[in-house]
Amino acid sequence: MPEAANILELRDISVKYGAIRAINNVSFSVKRGEILTLIGCNGAGKTTTLRAISSMVRVSGDVTFNGSSTAGERPETLVRRGLCHCPEGRGIFANMSVEENLSLGAFTRNDRDAIESDRQRVFTLFPRIKERLKQNAGTLSGGEQQMLAIGRALLSRPQLLLLDEPSLGLAPQLVQTIFRIIREINQQGVSILLVEQNAHMALQVAHTAVVLETGGVAMQGPASDLARSDAVRKAYLGH
Amino acid sequence: MADFLQILITAIAVGSLYALIALGYTMVYGILKFINFAHSDIFVLGAWTSLTASVCVITWLKLDTQQPPLWLAPVVLLCAMVVCGGVAFLVERLAYKPLRKSARLNVLITAIGVSLLLQNVGQLPGFTAAEKDGRSLATVPFGPSPSRMPSLLPDTSLISVPFPSGDPTIPAASVQVNLVDVFIFVSAMVLMFGLQHLVYRTKLGAAMRAVSFNTETASLMGVPVDRVMSFTFVTGAVLAAAAGFLYALKYPGLNQPAHEIWVLLGLKAFVAAVVGGIGNVRGAVLGGFLIALIEFMGMYLFSKYLDPLMGTNMGTNLRDVYVFSVLIVVLLVKPSGLLGTPVREKV
Ligand SMILES: Nc1ncnc2c1ncn2[C@@H]1O[C@H](COP(=O)(O)OP(=O)(O)OP(=O)(O)O)[C@@H](O)[C@H]1O
Ligand SMILES: [Mg+2]
């Protein structure tokens, strides 16, 4: 089977929570190997879009991952297909050690040697994680938890990584680091769908950007174009 | 002194049983987030399957009724575990799994229904599974009348320590450590360490703890949440089956399934789980031993010191009161239980 050019395609997807329409007819695609950033205000539907992609909510419309539909799949089966979702709020297992959190990232895999080399790669990206292996993950600082969440996600060897606000609550310097690492991960061949409040940084690292407004796509295009557009600058960059 | 030690030994044996049952309550609560009221009925099923299996094997193979061979005990234990595991699997599949996404109250009420169902099915006059000289020895299901479990272990005491009374007019007492008590304690320990290993040392155990902490995030790690839940449920039932088997060894006179003795026993194991900290595996074990200790020591001390003072004779009758007082105290002082520490998520 030839590899699809788009790792992910959304066609007219809508999600309803009861009577509330959280997103409505959202369509965009993530090209293989790119970073696409999804920006928008609070409540615009960014998290919901990610949840729709990983089958955590009931979706109407088509989601195509790596050439085949995700209809009828569950989050855990999508992980095996190479889709990894780093949820909003990091989703650290605070009752377990850092090491156990990392092993859960590799839950679907059995190739011990490859897992070990991936672990070493994570330690190179986040030396801090390596120092804290035996520590209870709940006692990590917010930034360390974020690193752990990203490192853990990498251990599933994703083809597409969904990141929901990785810079949330981090000191400016750490934000820089996180974005640098996101770029590094991308350069190692992982496509990334990045949800961000920090539109300034997001538009810098991303190739493509999609702007969500009240549940629908307001704009999309190359990130550099959007960063220059007046509408985006006013609404999301604050100048 | 001798009687004190004797009571202590019984308390440890009974505590092992409470702990085994409490583990099931605590695991199901930890992972499926509801109190499985039908759990004590699985325990009863374990005891009665042990009875039926031993009677059947003894009759079919024409074994010696008084001294059956030693291999019978593990075979019967295995039968009880398989039957209880199977029934629990069906219960989970048919009654609880369809309710995964509904309100906890619905599941709780369903659990009560399942409990009543099991109790009443257990009392149906079943068909004969083993007979001798035209007399039915065991039926499936258990049936409405009490029965007696054949003794699978030789009734010997391993250690007998004499305690001279110091007063020549009073005969020397002795403390007996019976085979059955040791067997119960050792089997329970083996199972508990096995569970400990499973939960804290294996990949499956890590998946169980992940599901327990946050189902949704666990599924994002690729953990097959539904299967982990079913597995946990069945594991709890298998432990209860072992407890039922061990109980039948120690107290061979078995009542009908809906008898209050069973209900109270299950309830005390539940108290043990809550006292230890529901959802906490080590807490359940601690709670089990603690509850039994307090129950038996309460009976002993009350009968020995308070009853003569007050001229009453109620030390033994109050055994349930001791247990539930502990529950009340623990709930007042540390509502999350002795080892239950509420973990907070950083945001
Ligand atoms: N479980 C839910 N039940 C009901 N409504 C929900 C639920 N989750 C989200 N919503 C609603 O859907 C809309 C979109 O929410 P979503 O979480 O996708 O926003 P978001 O863009 O991620 O916002 P933020 O930047 O604040 O994280 C909001 O109006 C929210 O109130
Ligand atoms: Mg969000």
Side-chain angles (χ1 to χ4, degrees):
Chain A
M1 195 175 77
E3 287 202 325
N6 290 331
I7 184 98
L8 180 76
E9 287 176 22
L10 309 186
R11 216 166 302 126
D12 293 329
I13 65 161
S14 307
V15 172
K16 276 194 269 186
Y17 293 115
I20 305 169
R21 257 182 197 284
I23 55 174
N24 202 5
N25 291 326
V26 168
S27 304
F28 64 85
S29 15
V30 181
K31 287 198 275 295
R32 189 176 294 277
E34 78 167 344
I35 301 181
L36 182 145
T37 184
L38 188 60
I39 54 180
C41 308
N42 291 120
K46 306 180 294 294
T47 298
T48 305
T49 307
L50 295 194
R51 291 170 62 85
I53 293 168
S54 48
S55 283
M56 293 163 80
V57 286
R58 183 184 279 278
V59 195
S60 67
D62 297 330
V63 179
T64 308
F65 172 63
N66 220 352
S68 52
S69 162
T70 65
E73 298 249 23
R74 284 183 302 179
E76 56 254 39
T77 55
L78 285 171
V79 178
R80 287 172 199 273
R81 281 180 54 187
L83 177 78
C84 185
H85 182 163
C86 218
E88 189 168 36
R90 303 170 192 132
I92 290 301
F93 297 108
N95 57 340
M96 296 189 210
S97 69
V98 169
E99 186 153 39
E100 285 179 314
N101 269 274
L102 286 175
S103 347
L104 277 165
F107 184 82
T108 53
R109 301 170 57 188
N110 289 314
D111 44 346
R112 272 171 183 247
D113 298 343
I115 293 176
E116 187 47 41
S117 76
D118 284 356
R119 258 165 61 101
Q120 294 307 328
R121 194 163 65 107
V122 169
F123 295 153
T124 331
L125 287 176
F126 305 105
R128 192 75 73 80
I129 297 295
K130 192 175 180 181
E131 294 161 20
R132 301 273 192 278
L133 275 182
K134 299 287 172 215
Q135 194 171 323
N136 192 307
T139 64
L140 293 182
S141 79
E144 290 164 347
Q145 289 194 0
Q146 189 62 64
M147 297 180 198
L148 175 56
I150 297 177
R152 184 180 67 180
L154 290 178
L155 282 177
S156 73
R157 277 233 171 143
Q159 298 186 41
L160 174 64
L161 183 57
L162 311 181
L163 294 173
D164 200 341
E165 303 204 25
S167 74
L168 188 74
L170 302 188
Q173 209 168 10
L174 202 51
V175 173
Q176 297 276 352
T177 315
I178 291 281
F179 276 98
R180 195 195 74 228
I181 286 168
I182 290 174
R183 194 180 272 147
E184 265 177 60
I185 294 169
N186 175 248
Q187 279 159 1
Q188 292 171 6
V190 182
S191 314
I192 295 176
L193 171 43
L194 171 68
V195 163
E196 258 305 330
Q197 289 287 344
N198 189 336
H200 183 70
M201 290 294 294
L203 288 173
Q204 273 182 22
V205 300
H207 305 99
T208 312
V210 173
V211 180
L212 272 192
E213 261 167 31
T214 57
V217 175
M219 273 181 275
Q220 57 180 314
S224 49
D225 291 3
L226 261 70
R228 278 193 299 271
S229 92
D230 284 341
V232 169
R233 285 173 54 176
K234 256 212 203 82
Y236 302 103
L237 300 176
H239 55 82
Chain B
M1 187 62 192
D3 46 354
F4 174 82
L5 286 177
Q6 197 65 60
I7 297 258
L8 192 65
I9 291 167
T10 309
I12 290 173
V14 173
S16 317
L17 299 181
Y18 287 162
L20 280 180
I21 309 171
L23 280 170
Y25 278 113
T26 230
M27 285 169 65
V28 169
Y29 181 83
I31 291 196
L32 291 101
K33 308 291 179 213
F34 76 99
I35 306 293
N36 178 22
F37 282 113
H39 187 60
S40 57
D41 303 294
I42 296 288
F43 158 68
V44 181
L45 176 64
W48 125 47
T49 309
S50 305
L51 162 85
T52 311
S54 14
V55 171
C56 286
V57 175
I58 289 176
T59 325
W60 294 341
L61 301 182
K62 302 196 170 52
L63 302 175
D64 182 359
T65 328
Q66 299 308 316
Q67 280 286 335
L70 282 179
W71 55 257
L72 188 55
V75 168
V76 168
L77 173 62
L78 197 68
C79 278
M81 286 178 160
V82 169
V83 168
C84 289
V87 168
F89 179 79
L90 287 179
V91 163
E92 204 272 337
R93 193 55 175 266
L94 300 175
Y96 300 144
K97 200 174 167 193
L99 299 175
R100 284 279 154 79
K101 297 215 157 61
S102 30
R104 294 298 90 183
L105 188 59
N106 300 7
V107 192
L108 219 57
I109 293 169
T110 307
I112 296 172
V114 171
S115 168
L116 290 174
L117 180 76
L118 289 176
Q119 287 182 10
N120 286 290
V121 168
Q123 291 182 85
L124 292 177
F127 61 88
T128 303
E131 60 175 2
K132 199 176 180 188
D133 312 331
R135 213 162 49 85
S136 161
L137 295 178
T139 58
V140 174
F142 185 77
S145 38
S147 247
R148 196 168 176 80
M149 171 89 177
S151 53
L152 302 187
L153 294 179
D155 182 20
T156 48
S157 74
L158 296 181
I159 310 168
S160 177
V161 186
F163 269 81
S165 56
D167 178 349
T169 58
I170 304 172
S174 72
V175 180
Q176 313 272 338
V177 181
N178 289 322
L179 177 62
V180 62
D181 292 326
V182 174
F183 185 77
I184 289 178
F185 180 71
V186 171
S187 319
M189 278 296 146
V190 167
L191 288 169
M192 287 188 260
F193 277 105
L195 183 74
Q196 169 90 10
H197 178 84
L198 170 73
V199 173
Y200 291 100
R201 293 275 174 277
T202 66
K203 192 169 167 177
L204 181 57
M208 289 162 81
R209 282 177 294 141
V211 171
S212 154
F213 188 76
N214 187 332
T215 315
E216 204 165 60
T217 318
S219 75
L220 291 181
M221 302 292 113
V223 172
V225 172
D226 265 336
R227 259 186 285 156
V228 168
M229 286 181 168
S230 305
F231 176 82
T232 307
F233 196 85
V234 170
T235 306
V238 166
L239 294 178
F245 166 77
L246 296 172
Y247 180 87
L249 287 186
K250 184 157 175 65
Y251 301 105
L254 300 186
N255 305 98
Q256 58 176 52
H259 197 275
E260 61 175 311
I261 288 186
W262 291 115
V263 176
L264 261 169
L265 234 145
L267 209 56
K268 284 179 196 162
F270 173 58
V271 169
V274 174
V275 164
I278 192 135
N280 185 310
V281 170
R282 295 181 185 113
V285 175
L286 175 70
F289 284 110
L290 192 69
I291 288 294
L293 213 60
I294 285 168
E295 180 177 0
F296 282 87
M297 284 303 138
M299 285 197 285
Y300 172 74
L301 296 175
F302 204 110
S303 313
K304 185 157 181 179
Y305 298 108
L306 289 181
D307 272 342
L309 265 185
M310 305 192 294
T312 52
N313 188 14
M314 56 187 191
T316 312
N317 297 339
L318 292 179
R319 62 190 297 177
D320 305 330
V321 175
Y322 314 135
V323 170
F324 292 102
S325 318
V326 181
L327 176 66
I328 293 171
V329 170
V330 168
L331 287 183
L332 284 177
V333 177
K334 195 161 184 294
S336 55
L338 294 177
L339 297 190
T341 38
V343 241
R344 247 182 280 132
E345 231 175 317
K346 258 203 190 99
V347 278

